[in-house]
Each structure stands twice: as C-alpha cells, then as structure tokens.
Amino acid sequence: MKYAIFGDIHANLEALHTVLEDAATRGCDQYVCLGDVVGYNANPRECLEIVRGLDCPVVKGNHDEEACLNTSLECLNPLAAHALKWTRDALEQSDRDWLSALKLVRQVRDFTIVHATLDTPGGWGYVTNKFDAMASFSYQFTSLCFHGHTHTPRFYVKHGSVEALAVDEIHLETGKKYFINAGSVGQPRDGDWRASYAVYDVDNQSVAIHRLEYDIETTQQKIRDAGLPEMLATRLAAGK
Ligand code: ZN
C-alpha cells in the first residue's frame, strides 16, 4: 500500500495534475491532503473539485480557513489582501461549506496529519527548525505525522533529541518518531520551483519526497489573466 501525501496546492491546477499523475505511475492507491487547497494561484475551484473527488482524508490549512471568512482585509499587506479577496470572490457557498467543515488534525491508519503544528494546530505556527519540531512532537501520539505550511520539504526525526534532515528519502525505524513536511505542490519556497509531495510506502516502511517539473508558464499566465498580483507569478519560478 502506498500513500500519496500532498498539500499547499494553492490553486495551482497544473502542479496538482502533475503530482497526481506521478503518484498513479508510482502505484499510489491512497491519497491524503495536508490542506491549503486554495489561495495565491488562479484555479481554486478546479483544485477543490479534484481534491473532493479523491474522497480522501484532508485537513484544513490557514488559507482554506481565511477564504471562508468575511474578516476585514485592512490589516493585510495590499498584495495579500488583493489575492485573498480574489479567492473569496471565486469560491461558491458549497466550496466554503466544504472547506469550513475540514478538521485541523486527523488520524489516518497509523499516522497523523496536520497542516501546521500539533501543539497549536489552529494557531498556524511554523515549524522551521528542530526546536519548533520538539514542541509539536510533545503532542504527537503516533510514530509518524505529516504536515506542510512552510512549503519546504523536511524530515524531523525524534530519537531522544530531534534532528532535521533535508534528504529525499528515509527508512522508518521502530522506536523513532517522524514529523515529515511533504513540501508544497503549488508554491514551493525552498528555492526549487518544482512541485513537491511525499510517498509513504507502508510495506517498505519508507517515505520519499518527489519533485516534479510542471507547466509553470500556463500557471503564470493564468495568474496574469486573472489580474492577480504579478509577484505571485514571478515567485513561482523562483521557488520562494
Ligand atoms: Zn500554504
């Protein structure tokens, strides 16, 4: 059994298609979504429809939450406010209902999924180092947990102390705990523009990160055609 574990799609339809095709090629028969289906890019409804169609476990991301609220945009910087208003206007009530109903933390088989952190899942803190990871590990009751939110793939391993590993693949060992960031499908920020997701191979007890080139020019053109900020198109190519 193989799980394709993906998140931070951020309305990037081309990247999502590419990831799902790759997952099928690798023999993944289960899907898990780590949240932030919408926000930033130009195909929120199309991405929502695909994720809903997979009928898989999904947790809520901060952009999924924001997109459903009617809060004022005044406190945000003008770029973020513009993009968020665009996303809110693009969604239908049925999309908002579906996003609003998502849980912050879920257990799937023998592992946990969360968008940001297990210590304050609705506080949307960022795990960027082993100290942040330690706080999350205190609330992790399965040996394996997947998360996203930083848009940077990373393996945090707890065996007494905590280590942060920027590797492509890891073999799971009993007695250790793993908090694994699958990276971002639709807006990677680790300097590598390629879409990122994880494959959890249950039989082999391994987790691998895969990076995939996709049709970024189309995604960028859609951002421009939608009148979204140009910066959202240029950052995609820079991977940040
Ligand atoms: Zn995100």
Side-chain angles (χ1 to χ4, degrees), residues 146-166:
F146 292 93
H147 70 292
H149 195 42
T150 64
H151 298 205
T152 298
R154 189 76 81 234
F155 293 88
Y156 294 98
V157 185
K158 184 171 189 285
H159 187 227
S161 59
V162 173
E163 265 188 303
L165 305 173

Side-chain angles (χ1 to χ4, degrees), residues 170-187:
I170 208 164
H171 259 90
L172 304 176
E173 297 171 45
T174 43
K176 296 186 178 181
K177 271 187 175 179
Y178 300 88
F179 188 58
I180 298 174
N181 193 316
S184 169
V185 171
Q187 195 197 75

Side-chain angles (χ1 to χ4, degrees), residues 151 187-193 231-232 234-240:
H151 298 205
Q187 195 197 75
R189 293 182 194 154
D190 59 337
D192 181 345
W193 68 273
M231 187 206 81
L232 293 176
T234 50
R235 76 183 296 180
L236 278 184
K240 54 183 164 185

Side-chain angles (χ1 to χ4, degrees), residues 7 14 20 23 34 37 56 61 75 77 82 105 108 115 135 144 159 164 166 170 186-187 189 209 224 230 234 240:
E14 291 70 35
L20 294 179
L34 300 172
V37 181
C56 66
C75 303
N77 75 58
H82 180 173
V105 183
V108 183
H115 183 67
L144 180 59
H159 187 227
I170 208 164
Q187 195 197 75
R189 293 182 194 154
I209 301 290
R224 294 180 183 118
E230 171 64 20
T234 50
K240 54 183 164 185

Side-chain angles (χ1 to χ4, degrees), residues 11-14 40-43 86 214-237:
N12 185 333
L13 184 61
E14 291 70 35
Y40 296 126
N41 298 303
N43 285 122
W86 187 92
Y214 67 94
D215 180 6
I216 189 172
E217 284 83 11
T218 296
T219 310
Q220 291 176 309
Q221 193 55 49
K222 286 179 177 176
I223 290 169
R224 294 180 183 118
D225 292 347
L228 282 159
E230 171 64 20
M231 187 206 81
L232 293 176
T234 50
R235 76 183 296 180
L236 278 184

